[in-house]
Amino acid sequence: MDSFDYIIVGGGSAGSVLANRLSEDPSNSVLLLEAGGEDRSPLIKVPAALIKLIGNPAYDWGFQVEPDPSRSGRQDYWPAGKVLGGSSSINGMLYVRGAARDFDGWRDQGNEGWGFDECEPYFRKLERCTFPTGQERGAMGPQAISHLRTRHPLAYPFVDAAQASGLPHNKDYNAASQEGVSAPQLTQLKGARFSAADAYLKPARRRSNLEIRTKAQVTRIEWEGPRASGVRYEHRGKAHTAHAKGEVILAAGALQSPKLLMLSGIGPADDLKSHGIEVTLDNPHVGANLLEHPNAQLGFCVDQRTFNQEINSARVAWHALRWLTARRGPATSPYPHAVGFYRSTPDKPFPDIQLLFGPFGFELTPDGVAPSLKPMVTLVLGLSYARSSGRLTLTSGDWRDKPRIALEMLSDARDVADLIAACRTARAMMEHEPMAGHIKGEMTPGDEVQSDADWEAYLRRTVDPTYHPVSTCRMAPSIAKGVVAPNLKVHGVESLRVVDASVFPDHISGNTNGAVLMVAEKASDMILSNKG
C-alpha cells in the first residue's frame, strides 16, 4: 500500500495549487489523484476551442440536472472539467476575484479569517497580471492574467454606450470596486489558455516528492475510527488503496466532493442508509445549499461581421493559422469582450448583476444551439446573489453513478424581478450611441417583450445556469450550520479537509475560479503552518 503525507483528490484548480504548495517542502510526500487525463490536447490551449471541450466526455464530466419546475421542466447540462487543470482547462477563462463584501460576508457568518482583508493577500500571491496595475494587484504569482489580444471592434462602442447610460468606466473590476464597465481579464498568456495546471502543476512536476496519477478515480475515503486514513481508487482497471500519514484533502469540486463524502459515509443518514452506505457521520448539510448564478440573454443583429460568422465560414483555417503564428485573432477569444457590474435597480446597495458583452450570436436549431449565420452580439446577464437554492444527493451507492442534482433556479420571485429589471437596463444600454447606430434589430427576446409578464415568460423559457455551483460543503463555525470549519477541516472527523468551491459559505459576485485559487492558496498555508 502506498503511503504519503498528503493525498489530494482532484487535479483541478484547487488541487493544482495544493499539489504545488504542499510539495514545495521536500520533506512532504504528496499524491495527487485525478480521474481525468493529461491536459496535452491543443484544444485546451486554443481559447475559442472551448466549444469543442464542453460536452466532450474526454474532458468534461457532463452532469445532468433534474428537470426544473420553475423553468417549464427544463433539464440543464452542467459541464465540469475532467482533466488536469479541471474546469480551468475547459472554462471561459474570465478571471474575477469577487467583491470585497462577499468575503466580509463569509467572515460575518462566523468564519473567522475569511474577511476580504485576510483573503486579499492570497489573491495578490496567486496573480501574475500582465497589464499595468495598482498596488492592490499581484504581478509575481504563478497564475497569468491578461487582457484579450484581439478585441472585437464593437466592444468599444458598447463600452461607450454603457457609460452614456450611466454605468461608470472601471479600469479594473478586481481592484477597489467592481461597479462599472471594463475590459475582461482572462487566465491567458499571450493569447493561449493558461490553466491552473499550467500555473501550478507544470512547475512542480519535476519534484521527486510529488506523484501525479491521472485516470485515477477515487471511490471512497478509508477510515481508522474517526480519522481519514487514506483513499480507495480505481486505476487502469484495478482497485488500489493509498494511505495518508497526514491528511486527505478533497479538491474534486462542488459536485464531486459532496458525492465522495456521502459515498464515504458522511451526509444525511437516512439517505445514506437507503443506498446501503454505512453512516460514519450524520450531516444533512452535505450536498445541501447548492447555489448557482442564473443568467439571461439578449441578442441583437448588428451591422458588421461577428465571431459566430467566422466560426461558420471558410476563414476558420486562416484564423487557426493566425493563432498558431501570432496568437491573435478570433481564436484567442472566449465569450466576453466587455464586462460590467451594475445594480439591477437604483435602490440596490451594491451591484448584483454581472454583464458580459460578446460578439457572438446563437440560434436554436433542431439539433440544439448553434452559431447564428447572422452578424450578432449578445449580452449575458448573471444574477450574482440568487436566493434560489438546490441540493445534490446520491443516485445510488455505486461510485460509477453520477449524483442527482436538483435546483429550481427561478423558484424565488425576487430573483425573477431582479432579472427583469436587469434586462430592461441592459436593453436601454443598447439604445445609447454609439452602439445604437450599429444595432439592426433585437433578436431575443424581441420588441414584442415589454411587460413584466412578457419578461417573466421569456426568462422562464430561456434562463440558463452559469456553471458556477458552490456551497455544497459549506464552511461554517459548527456542524449545526455546515460541513467544514473555517480551517476547512470536515466537522466531526479527523485528518480530512475540503478545498474547492463547495466550501464557499455563499455566493460571490462573478466567476468562481479566481476565488477557488485564493481558497486553495490560503488552505495551503493553513495546512503547512499547522494552524488547523
Side-chain angles (χ1 to χ4, degrees):
M1 180 172 64
D2 291 339
S3 184
F4 299 84
D5 292 310
Y6 300 105
I7 298 174
I8 303 165
V9 180
S13 292
S16 296
V17 174
L18 291 161
N20 181 302
R21 296 306 190 193
L22 298 183
S23 65
E24 283 180 330
D25 182 344
S27 68
N28 291 331
S29 57
V30 181
L31 173 65
L32 176 66
L33 298 172
E34 165 56 42
E38 296 282 347
D39 60 335
R40 295 180 183 137
S41 170
L43 293 175
I44 292 174
K45 280 297 184 185
V46 183
L50 65 89
I51 60 174
K52 300 291 187 182
L53 298 170
I54 293 176
N56 185 333
Y59 308 106
D60 177 6
W61 283 101
F63 295 103
Q64 291 284 344
V65 184
E66 296 289 299
D68 182 352
S70 74
R71 293 180 297 136
S72 306
R74 288 181 59 197
Q75 188 169 17
D76 296 308
Y77 179 92
W78 278 14
K82 186 183 179 183
V83 61
L84 286 178
S87 291
S88 76
S89 291
I90 71 169
N91 67 3
M93 290 159 278
L94 189 62
Y95 178 80
V96 182
R97 283 181 169 188
R101 66 182 165 275
D102 301 336
F103 306 102
D104 288 344
W106 291 11
R107 177 201 62 209
D108 294 346
Q109 292 181 40
N111 298 296
E112 286 298 320
W114 288 96
F116 183 69
D117 286 347
E118 291 91 356
C119 294
E120 191 264 350
Y122 291 99
F123 280 118
R124 281 189 284 110
K125 181 179 181 180
L126 73 91
E127 294 170 341
R128 176 162 37 114
C129 295
T130 62
F131 46 87
T133 64
Q135 294 276 336
E136 67 274 25
R137 301 299 306 281
M140 303 296 289
Q143 178 62 65
I145 302 164
S146 306
H147 285 143
L148 272 172
R149 284 165 72 89
T150 299
R151 205 168 171 204
H152 194 277
L154 287 177
Y156 302 97
F158 170 75
V159 169
D160 291 342
Q163 292 180 77
S165 74
L167 194 61
H169 181 260
N170 186 341
K171 183 180 178 181
D172 186 350
Y173 57 81
N174 284 316
S177 171
Q178 284 190 324
E179 191 159 20
V181 61
S182 313
Q185 298 178 25
L186 308 163
T187 50
Q188 289 187 4
L189 183 63
K190 297 180 179 178
R193 180 191 296 275
F194 198 79
S195 70
D198 293 318
Y200 287 92
L201 278 188
K202 288 183 181 173
R205 294 196 79 153
R206 62 182 176 272
R207 296 174 187 160
S208 60
N209 62 326
L210 171 63
E211 185 163 344
I212 300 172
R213 295 177 190 167
T214 57
K215 302 289 184 180
Q217 173 67 61
V218 175
T219 59
R220 63 168 285 127
I221 299 161
E222 295 282 273
W223 302 101
E224 291 177 357
R227 180 182 179 275
S229 60
V231 297
R232 194 177 303 170
Y233 65 99
E234 295 279 324
H235 186 237
R236 297 178 179 174
K238 294 182 179 180
H240 300 266
T241 301
H243 176 71
K245 292 177 284 186
E247 296 186 14
V248 173
I249 307 166
L250 302 188
L255 303 179
Q256 296 278 52
S257 285
K259 175 190 171 186
L260 189 52
L261 284 177
M262 289 186 280
L263 287 172
S264 306
I266 299 178
D270 290 344
D271 190 47
L272 300 186
K273 290 174 184 176
S274 72
H275 296 303
I277 297 171
E278 182 180 350
V279 177
T280 301
L281 181 71
D282 180 15
N283 188 334
H285 299 290
V286 177
N289 197 51
L290 171 62
L291 301 177
E292 171 63 297
H293 293 145
N295 76 62
Q297 298 185 24
L298 284 71
F300 301 84
C301 282
V302 291
D303 63 354
Q304 55 188 273
R305 287 181 69 85
T306 49
F307 285 178
N308 52 288
Q309 293 178 294
E310 302 301 309
I311 296 170
N312 279 325
S313 74
R315 294 158 63 96
V316 168
W318 158 245
H319 294 314
L321 180 63
R322 191 178 177 198
W323 185 84
L324 286 168
T325 57
R327 293 292 194 267
R328 296 190 183 273
T332 66
S333 176
Y335 181 81
H337 284 231
V339 177
F341 292 90
Y342 66 96
R343 306 170 197 229
S344 57
T345 56
D347 62 327
K348 297 287 184 185
F350 43 75
D352 60 329
I353 300 295
Q354 180 186 28
L355 177 152
L356 307 180
F357 169 88
F360 300 92
F362 301 91
E363 295 181 7
L364 193 60
T365 72
D367 297 322
V369 176
S372 175
L373 299 177
K374 302 171 184 175
M376 287 184 64
V377 298
T378 304
L379 300 181
V380 175
L381 315 175
L383 182 59
S384 296
Y385 305 108
R387 293 88 162 180
S388 306
S389 65
R391 186 174 189 92
L392 179 146
T393 55
L394 294 177
T395 304
S396 75
D398 190 333
W399 60 268
R400 299 171 186 83
D401 292 335
K402 292 178 180 177
R404 179 178 178 268
I405 305 166
L407 173 62
E408 295 185 29
M409 199 175 300
L410 295 181
S411 59
D412 194 304
R414 294 171 295 178
D415 293 345
V416 177
D418 287 346
L419 281 172
I420 290 173
C423 287
R424 292 187 189 279
T425 300
R427 175 186 271 176
M429 286 183 197
M430 303 297 269
E431 296 170 356
H432 284 270
E433 294 295 351
M435 193 67 206
H438 296 285
I439 303 295
K440 297 303 179 185
E442 182 179 299
M443 292 290 291
T444 53
D447 293 338
E448 65 275 11
V449 172
Q450 296 292 336
S451 70
D452 283 356
D454 294 338
W455 276 111
E456 180 170 353
Y458 169 71
L459 292 171
R460 291 196 185 278
R461 289 196 312 270
T462 61
V463 158
D464 291 318
T466 316
Y467 316 134
H468 299 162
V470 299
S471 298
T472 48
C473 298
R474 67 189 309 235
M475 186 196 318
S478 71
I479 195 170
K481 296 182 178 180
V483 178
V484 301
N487 59 14
L488 305 186
K489 286 188 174 182
V490 176
H491 285 298
V493 295
E494 300 170 12
S495 303
L496 178 63
R497 295 192 207 228
V498 182
V499 182
D500 55 35
S502 70
V503 306
F504 289 15
D506 214 332
H507 282 297
I508 67 164
S509 176
N511 303 63
T512 53
N513 187 61
V516 168
L517 295 172
M518 178 277 292
V519 166
E521 284 277 17
K522 196 171 189 305
S524 299
D525 266 8
M526 289 177 175
I527 294 165
L528 291 171
S529 65
N530 292 314
K531 287 182 180 177

